[in-house]
Amino acid sequence: MNLPWEVTVGMGVLLSLNFLLMGCFRKPSTLTRSLSMTLILVLSALMILPSAEAAPVHSTQKGDGDGFFNILPPGQEGRINLFEYLWFQMSKKYPRHYNDQVHMYDSLSKRAPDLTESELPQYFKEASMGTPAKVEKTYSPIKNLTITRDNFGVPHIRGKTRKATFFGVGYATAEDRLFLMDVLRHLGRGRLSEFLGESESNKEMDRNQLKNAPYKESDLTDQIRRICEQGSEGEEICRDIKAYMEGVNAYIDKARWNWTLLPVEYLGLMKLPQKWKPEDAVAIASFVGGLFGKGGGRELESAQFLAELQNEFGKKEGRKIWADFRSANDREAPVTTVRPFPYNNPGNIDQASVAMPDLSTVNQTLNQLKNSDMIADGPFGPINLRLPKSMSNAILVVGNHTRKGNPIAVFGPQTGYFNPQLLLEMDVQGPGIEARGVGFAGSNLYIQMGRGKEFAWSATSSAADNTDQWILRLCEPDGKTPSNQSTHYLYKGKCIPMEQFTHQQSIKSQAVPVKDLNKTAVSLNQPPKEVIEQQQNSSQRKKETMDTKVERSVYGPVIARGTVKNRPVAIAVQRSTYGNELGSSFGFKRLNDPDFMKGGAQSFSKAIDSIDYTFNWFFVDQTDIAYKHSGLLPIRHPGTDPDLPVWGTGEYDWTGDYLPPEKQPQEINPKQGYFVNWNNKQAPGFRANDANFNYGPVFRSLTLEKRLKKAIESDEKLTTADMVNITTAAGTVDLKGQEVYPYVLKILGKQAPGNDQKLQAMRDRLAEWVKTGGYRRDIAPRDGQYDNATAIAIGDAFFAPLVKGIFGAPLKGIRPPVKLEDRPDQHLGSAYQEGYYPFVQKDLRQVLGEKVTDPWYKTYCGNGDRAACRDILWNALSEAAAHLEKEYSSASVDDWIYGSQRDAIRQSTLGALSLPDMGWVNRPTFQQVVQVQSTK
C-alpha cells in the first residue's frame, strides 16, 4: 500500500497508542481488544482517505508511442488488507485501483455506436511501455530491479538482470493477487478443501479437478524437470521460474509480518500464506489449461444422441438425422480463414472400433461425468469460478482499409468477470524480455496476451479436438467375470491393472463465512504470523482427512463406469496436453523476446508453433495482420470415428503423430482484407470437435463479420474508433434477432391468423426489432431500459416453443447434446456461443426454398410444407403469449417489458469485497485496441 507521509505519521501514532494500551494488560481483555479494534477502525479511515471511489477516469499515460490501448476490469489491485476491508465496511468506498476500470468498461456500450477517436481514452487506458507519464509509486524490492506503478496501478517492471526482472514479476504478482494465486494452486492440486475448509462445494470442486488432472506432487515436479532438460532455452525457463518463485516468496515473507501487506482473506481463514514452489505454476496451468485450452472429449453424449435416433428411426435414417445436427464440416459455417486446412476427417471407419454405450445405462454414466458448479465456499462467502463455455473475439483489418494506412486490431479474451480478475496486467522489460499485457495469476511467468515494442497479439478459444474418451473393457486377472468395480482392463491382449492411489487432504476447519470481522479480536502490537499461529495452536478442532480414490490408465484418468453390450466398462480420458501443461511456456517466452520477434508476422507464427493448447492466435504490427492456430492435435487411427467413443484396447490408439505446424490453419494479410473470430470454425475442412454441434450457418461471429464487411465495402477508410464501434455494436446483438427471426417472420407472413390482435402485436414488435438490428441495448433513448424491451421479452419467450414446434414431433422428443440457447441472463457476459440457432435457421431456409449449400437430409418444420410450418410457428407464438401473460401478470403486450437488469454482468467475488453489477455486453474481458505506428 502506498501511503503519503501524513498517513504514515498517523499510523505510527496510533500504533504507539495501541502498543501502550495492550502493554497495560498481561492478558488482553475483551475491553482491551475492543479498544484495539476501535483504533484499527480509526487507523483504517486515515489510511484509506487518499483512495477514491471508482469514477470516470481518463487515461493520462503517454509512453512509447500512440496506437496501443487496453482495458481490464475491475482494476489492477486485487489485494485487500484488514484496514481496507474495515474501511469499506464503514464507508463503502473501494481502494483506488480496486475497480477504477469498471466505469470506463461499463460506459462504452452506452456511448457506441458513434464513438470518436478523441474519446478512446475515456473508455480505454493507454497501454504504454516504459516509464509512465504519471507515476504513483516507485520502489526496488531488490538490487537491479525497479517497479513503477502508474496512475492505474499497473506495475512497470524494469530489471537490469534477467533474474531481477523475473523476481519483480513474481513480487508484483503476489502484491496484486496473492490470495487468488493461493486458491488456484490448491484448486489445481484438488486440494481446495484443505485450504478453504471442508464443505460439499469445495469437495466437489476438488473431485472435479481430479477428473481432469489427477496429479501426484511428483508428477508436477516431473513437468518442471522435463522443461529444464530441454536445452539452453529450457534451462533459462527454469531459471525464470525460480526467480519468479523467489519474488513471490519475498512478498509472502513480508506479508506474514505486516498487516498492511497480508490479504484479509487469510485472517478470515486464520491461515498464513505458505512458500511458493515451482510446482504451483504447474498446478495452476493444469486448471487453467483444462478450462481454456482443450476441445472435444464428449463422445459419449454424441453416441447417446446417435443411438437414440437409430433406435427410433433405424440405423441408416438415424445416422443421417444425426449427421444433420452434427455439423462437423458444414460448408456454410463462418470461418476464420477461407483457405482449407483439412483435419480429423475419417475415411473408412472400422465399425469394430466403435464402442456404443447401452441406452439403459448411459445416463448413469453421463451423470458421473458431470462437472461441478465451480462455486466454492470461501472465508467471506461463495467464491464463484463459473466460466462461459468458450470465449473471446478478434477483428483485424489490413492497412489498405484504414485511414492512417496501418492495420487495426480490436481483440481480447473473454475470461469471465471476476473480482479480483483472473488475469493480471503488467509491463515487463529486462534482458531478453519486452512485453506488456496479461497472464493468468500464478502462471503468468510471461505475458500471455498483449503487446511488444511494435506489435500486439491476442487469442481466442479454439476448442480443436485434442481430447478423447476411451472405453476400457474391464477384466479380472484370474479370468473371472468382471464387474462394474473391476480395476483391470484389457490392453494389447493383456489384463493390466489401473494405477490406483489415494489423494488425501488434511482438513482442520469447516468452510464458514466470516460473519463480522469488525468483532474479530486483533492486536496490532503482534504481527499476523504470531496472531494467526496463536489462533491455530488454540484451536480445539482435530485434523481430519479427506480421501479421494484416483484411477489412471495408459490414456489418462479413469472417470466413470458404464456398460457396452451389457458388459462392464470404464471410461478414460486422454488429453494431448495432459502431463505437460507447462510446456507451452516456450511459445510465450518467444513472444516476449524482442530478438526472437524481430521477424514480425513470420516470427509470431514460429512462436505459436510452440504452444500446445488449442487457441486461435492473432497478430498485428505496422504492416501485417496474421492468424495462426495452435494445438497439439493428435492424428488418430484411420479406422476410428472421431465423433464416437472408441475401444481403448490398444489397437486403435492415437498414431503418435500430431498435426504439423504447416497444416495448422494460418494466414497473413488475407485477400478479403480482414480476420474475424468469435470462437467460430477455424477453416474449411477443419472438423468440429466431437462436442461441438454448432458449426453451422449461424454463429455469433456473424454479428462482427457482417458489420466489418459492410464497413469495408462502403469504401470508407476505418479508424480505431470505427473498429471499436463495430465490436461494441456486435456485442449488444441478440443472435436470434439478427440471424433467426428474419426467416421466422418470412414464414409467419404479415397477418396473424384469425385476425388475432395480440399475436399481430407480438409479430409486429418482433418485426420492428429485427428491422433495427435485433439489439439488446439502451441507446435511443438512453433511459436505463432496453430499446425494444417488449420485443426482447417476446423473442426470448418465443424461442423454446419455436424449437419444440419445429423439431419436437419429427424427432420424437430426442434432443442433440446442445443447450437450447445461450442467453445473456446467465449473468456471465459471454452469450450466444451455442444453441439451436443454426438448426432453426437452416431448416426454415429449406422450408422457404432458399439456396442451402449443405442441405439437410430432411426438412423438419411441417415436413417441409410451408403452410404447415407457418401454423407451427403461429402456435409457438401463441404459446409464448400465454407464458408472457403469466410472467408479467398482464394480458397487455405493452406491459411485457424485459428489464435490462436481468442480463446484468455479475462480477464474481473471489475474495472479501463484492462489486456492483455491470450492464450486459458480449465483449472481451481484456480488450486491446491497436493501430501500430512508429514507436522508435
Side-chain angles (χ1 to χ4, degrees):
M1 183 185 306
N2 186 18
L3 302 178
W5 68 269
E6 296 92 344
V7 175
T8 306
V9 171
M11 185 169 103
V13 171
L14 284 173
L15 280 173
S16 299
L17 288 171
N18 189 62
F19 288 145
L20 289 171
L21 179 62
M22 297 304 295
C24 293
F25 301 88
R26 292 183 181 179
K27 294 183 179 180
S29 64
T30 302
L31 173 63
T32 310
R33 288 191 289 264
S34 298
L35 289 171
S36 176
M37 210 58 215
T38 301
L39 289 175
I40 292 176
L41 291 172
V42 176
L43 171 60
S44 302
L46 288 174
M47 291 176 69
I48 308 302
L49 281 176
S51 300
E53 186 72 6
V57 180
H58 291 210
S59 175
T60 56
Q61 299 176 85
K62 187 71 174 179
D64 59 343
D66 296 327
F68 295 91
F69 292 87
N70 73 34
I71 190 76
L72 178 62
Q76 182 71 26
E77 185 175 353
R79 180 204 68 221
I80 296 295
N81 65 34
L82 172 62
F83 310 118
E84 291 167 326
Y85 173 82
L86 293 173
W87 172 247
F88 178 81
Q89 303 309 309
M90 294 171 58
S91 68
K92 301 305 177 186
K93 292 186 176 181
Y94 297 95
R96 182 167 187 176
H97 299 307
Y98 195 78
N99 71 328
D100 57 343
Q101 296 182 53
V102 166
H103 182 87
M104 299 167 70
Y105 187 95
D106 193 27
S107 300
L108 178 62
S109 63
K110 302 174 180 65
R111 176 64 186 88
D114 54 0
L115 181 76
T116 64
E117 289 283 277
S118 63
E119 293 176 296
L120 279 177
Q122 297 180 36
Y123 304 98
F124 297 88
K125 59 186 192 295
E126 285 189 358
S128 63
M129 295 174 66
T131 303
K134 277 202 169 184
V135 175
E136 285 198 352
K137 180 182 180 181
T138 300
Y139 51 107
S140 299
I142 59 169
K143 185 180 178 182
N144 295 321
L145 171 66
T146 301
I147 300 178
T148 302
R149 297 273 180 170
D150 65 26
N151 61 311
F152 283 92
V154 176
H156 297 253
I157 298 165
R158 302 292 172 270
K160 293 182 180 180
T161 66
R162 192 172 179 92
K163 180 178 180 180
T165 304
F166 283 93
F167 180 101
V169 173
Y171 189 91
T173 301
E175 282 187 295
D176 290 338
R177 296 290 191 276
L178 180 58
F179 179 70
L180 176 59
M181 294 164 68
D182 226 342
V183 169
L184 294 178
R185 67 169 164 174
H186 282 86
L187 179 55
R189 287 180 168 87
R191 296 185 175 278
L192 197 62
S193 301
E194 191 171 81
F195 180 55
L196 294 180
E198 182 183 8
S199 77
E200 190 53 43
S201 294
N202 295 348
K203 289 191 287 187
E204 187 60 29
M205 286 187 70
D206 286 333
R207 286 191 286 264
N208 189 68
Q209 176 62 8
L210 290 174
K211 291 178 186 177
N212 181 58
Y215 294 140
K216 301 175 184 177
E217 194 67 17
S218 59
D219 296 327
L220 305 180
T221 302
D222 285 344
Q223 285 205 42
I224 298 289
R225 176 184 54 76
R226 287 196 298 270
I227 286 179
C228 297
E229 292 173 350
Q230 294 185 47
S232 59
E233 191 173 22
E235 291 174 357
E236 187 166 59
I237 290 173
C238 281
R239 289 193 295 269
D240 294 344
I241 291 173
K242 182 179 179 182
Y244 177 99
M245 174 194 72
E246 291 172 354
V248 174
N249 286 333
Y251 184 81
I252 289 175
D253 287 342
K254 292 180 180 179
R256 287 160 65 96
W257 294 91
N258 190 327
W259 289 110
T260 69
L261 301 181
L262 184 73
V264 71
E265 292 87 357
Y266 288 102
L267 182 60
L269 292 172
M270 278 300 167
K271 291 184 177 180
L272 290 166
Q274 301 304 305
K275 290 286 190 178
W276 194 260
K277 302 191 298 183
E279 290 83 356
D280 295 331
V282 184
I284 294 175
S286 73
F287 169 69
V288 173
L291 286 176
F292 295 102
K294 71 176 183 179
R298 286 170 53 187
E299 288 85 358
L300 276 171
E301 293 180 51
S302 180
Q304 180 190 32
F305 180 47
L306 174 59
E308 288 174 342
L309 290 172
Q310 291 181 326
N311 186 58
E312 184 67 41
F313 299 102
K315 281 189 177 281
K316 287 186 177 181
E317 184 171 0
R319 180 82 189 200
K320 289 178 180 179
I321 296 172
W322 173 85
D324 280 349
F325 290 88
R326 176 65 188 90
S327 308
N329 261 320
D330 192 323
R331 288 181 292 165
E332 292 187 323
V335 292
T336 307
T337 173
V338 298
R339 295 175 58 194
F341 285 90
Y343 169 66
N344 214 27
N345 298 306
N348 295 322
I349 296 172
D350 179 358
Q351 292 301 322
S353 70
V354 179
M356 293 293 285
D358 294 334
L359 287 177
S360 59
T361 61
V362 67
N363 282 325
Q364 298 172 26
T365 302
L366 291 174
N367 283 335
Q368 299 171 51
L369 298 174
K370 284 183 178 178
N371 292 325
S372 70
D373 291 333
M374 297 300 291
I375 301 176
D377 292 316
F380 291 88
I383 294 178
N384 188 343
L385 282 164
R386 192 164 62 105
L387 290 155
K389 181 178 178 181
S390 192
M391 305 152 284
S392 315
N393 67 30
I395 61 171
L396 301 88
V397 65
V398 298
N400 291 343
H401 298 305
T402 72
R403 188 175 298 175
K404 293 182 179 178
N406 303 111
I408 298 173
V410 180
F411 48 21
Q414 284 177 281
T415 53
Y417 296 89
F418 298 99
N419 159 33
Q421 188 53 248
L422 292 178
L423 296 173
L424 179 66
E425 184 179 4
M426 54 183 58
D427 167 28
V428 186
Q429 292 192 21
I433 181 169
E434 185 176 45
R436 172 176 176 160
V438 298
F440 288 95
S443 65
N444 61 324
L445 183 66
Y446 306 112
I447 301 300
Q448 294 160 357
M449 288 162 284
R451 59 159 297 197
K453 190 68 173 176
E454 294 184 326
F455 65 91
W457 78 98
S458 189
T460 70
S461 296
S462 164
D465 200 353
N466 69 347
T467 307
D468 281 350
Q469 290 174 332
W470 295 90
I471 308 302
L472 307 182
R473 199 188 299 270
L474 295 176
C475 61
E476 289 292 340
D478 58 5
K480 291 183 179 179
T481 302
S483 72
N484 199 251
Q485 301 303 314
S486 294
T487 58
H488 287 66
Y489 60 102
L490 287 172
Y491 186 74
K492 294 186 176 180
K494 296 181 180 180
C495 186
I496 66 172
M498 298 174 185
E499 179 190 3
Q500 293 181 292
F501 64 91
T502 299
H503 178 276
Q504 190 172 84
Q505 298 186 65
S506 178
I507 303 170
K508 193 176 180 180
S509 63
Q510 291 180 325
V512 180
V514 175
K515 299 295 184 183
D516 189 354
L517 200 57
N518 290 291
K519 297 178 182 178
T520 300
V522 176
S523 174
L524 284 182
N525 70 330
Q526 288 180 286
K529 184 177 186 299
E530 294 180 2
V531 171
I532 291 174
E533 286 180 349
Q534 287 173 7
Q535 289 287 334
Q536 291 173 338
N537 293 334
S538 64
S539 173
Q540 300 300 309
R541 182 174 170 83
K542 294 182 179 179
K543 284 188 177 181
E544 299 177 1
T545 59
M546 172 185 163
D547 294 344
T548 304
K549 182 181 177 181
V550 174
E551 296 175 328
R552 301 195 294 197
S553 69
V554 294
Y555 300 103
V558 178
I559 59 175
R561 305 291 174 119
T563 63
V564 173
K565 295 182 178 179
N566 296 316
R567 295 180 178 179
V569 297
I571 291 83
V573 174
Q574 182 175 18
R575 170 168 51 88
S576 65
T577 55
Y578 179 79
N580 190 33
E581 283 87 354
L582 212 59
S584 295
S585 298
F586 289 90
F588 294 122
K589 176 180 181 293
R590 292 166 187 175
L591 287 167
N592 285 219
D593 186 340
D595 289 332
F596 186 93
M597 291 298 294
K598 282 181 178 178
Q602 297 293 341
S603 296
F604 158 78
S605 181
K606 291 178 182 177
I608 297 304
D609 291 342
S610 298
I611 296 177
D612 291 342
Y613 294 125
T614 167
F615 286 105
N616 300 295
W617 294 92
F618 298 92
F619 170 92
V620 62
D621 65 8
Q622 294 181 45
T623 57
D624 300 317
I625 61 174
Y627 163 57
K628 184 66 179 284
H629 185 270
S630 74
L632 191 64
L633 304 181
I635 305 300
R636 292 171 171 83
H637 187 286
T640 60
D641 188 330
D643 299 327
L644 299 173
V646 174
W647 283 112
T649 49
E651 62 265 48
Y652 303 113
D653 288 3
W654 291 351
T655 63
D657 294 326
Y658 296 88
L659 191 68
E662 65 273 13
K663 292 188 177 181
Q664 297 271 5
Q666 57 193 289
E667 192 170 8
I668 297 174
N669 298 327
K671 289 182 179 180
Q672 64 189 19
Y674 65 86
F675 288 123
V676 167
N677 182 274
W678 206 342
N679 312 113
N680 49 293
K681 191 175 181 71
Q682 300 87 346
F686 200 88
R687 190 180 188 84
N689 77 58
D690 58 89
N692 188 344
F693 281 59
N694 266 106
Y695 279 174
V698 174
F699 208 83
R700 62 181 180 179
S701 57
L702 290 175
T703 63
L704 287 167
E705 185 165 15
K706 288 187 175 181
R707 286 163 177 78
L708 180 57
K709 191 174 181 179
K710 181 180 178 180
I712 290 173
E713 291 175 349
S714 72
D715 290 331
E716 290 290 329
K717 298 296 184 180
L718 295 168
T719 67
T720 52
D722 293 332
M723 294 283 278
V724 170
N725 285 327
I726 289 169
T727 59
T728 307
T732 56
V733 169
D734 185 313
L735 191 59
K736 304 187 300 294
Q738 176 175 307
E739 297 295 332
V740 178
Y741 285 141
Y743 298 95
V744 171
L745 289 164
K746 283 185 180 182
I747 294 177
L748 285 175
K750 293 186 177 182
Q751 297 297 320
N755 198 30
D756 189 308
Q757 294 303 302
K758 183 177 295 180
L759 291 182
Q760 186 68 53
M762 293 173 70
R763 180 260 169 217
D764 292 346
R765 293 293 183 102
L766 274 179
E768 179 61 28
W769 182 46
V770 168
K771 182 180 177 181
T772 56
Y775 292 103
R776 299 172 87 103
R777 66 183 184 185
D778 175 21
I779 292 293
R782 291 185 173 91
D783 57 2
Q785 180 176 292
Y786 277 150
D787 308 336
N788 303 110
T790 297
I792 292 170
I794 295 168
D796 283 358
F798 188 17
F799 197 65
L802 177 73
V803 168
K804 180 182 176 183
I806 295 173
F807 299 111
L811 293 181
K812 306 291 181 67
I814 299 170
R815 299 185 59 180
V818 177
K819 66 193 299 186
L820 178 68
E821 68 166 323
D822 183 20
R823 292 202 313 235
D825 58 4
Q826 299 172 85
H827 305 292
L828 297 174
S830 179
Y832 305 113
Q833 167 67 15
E834 63 173 335
Y836 275 63
Y837 317 118
F839 308 151
V840 173
Q841 196 232 50
K842 175 165 281 198
D843 195 62
L844 295 186
R845 286 166 55 219
Q846 291 189 184
V847 171
L848 290 165
E850 296 190 2
K851 181 182 178 181
V852 178
T853 303
D854 268 340
W856 274 2
Y857 156 70
K858 64 183 296 183
T859 304
Y860 297 88
C861 187
N863 200 29
D865 180 81
R866 183 165 179 171
C869 181
R870 181 176 183 269
D871 290 341
I872 288 171
L873 301 191
W874 279 113
N875 287 336
L877 191 61
S878 179
E879 188 176 335
H883 171 83
L884 290 165
E885 286 183 18
K886 184 176 181 181
E887 179 181 352
Y888 290 95
S889 302
S890 174
S892 173
V893 174
D894 291 336
D895 292 336
W896 303 342
I897 307 297
Y898 187 92
S900 60
Q901 73 280 356
R902 292 171 63 175
D903 293 345
I905 294 172
R906 291 177 183 164
Q907 301 187 75
S908 299
T909 301
L910 303 183
L913 302 186
S914 60
L915 286 171
D917 293 346
M918 295 190 293
W920 176 71
V921 66
N922 203 354
R923 178 184 177 191
T925 315
F926 171 67
Q927 190 172 38
Q928 298 183 81
V929 179
V930 180
Q931 185 170 33
V932 183
Q933 299 163 60
S934 177
T935 57
K936 295 180 180 178

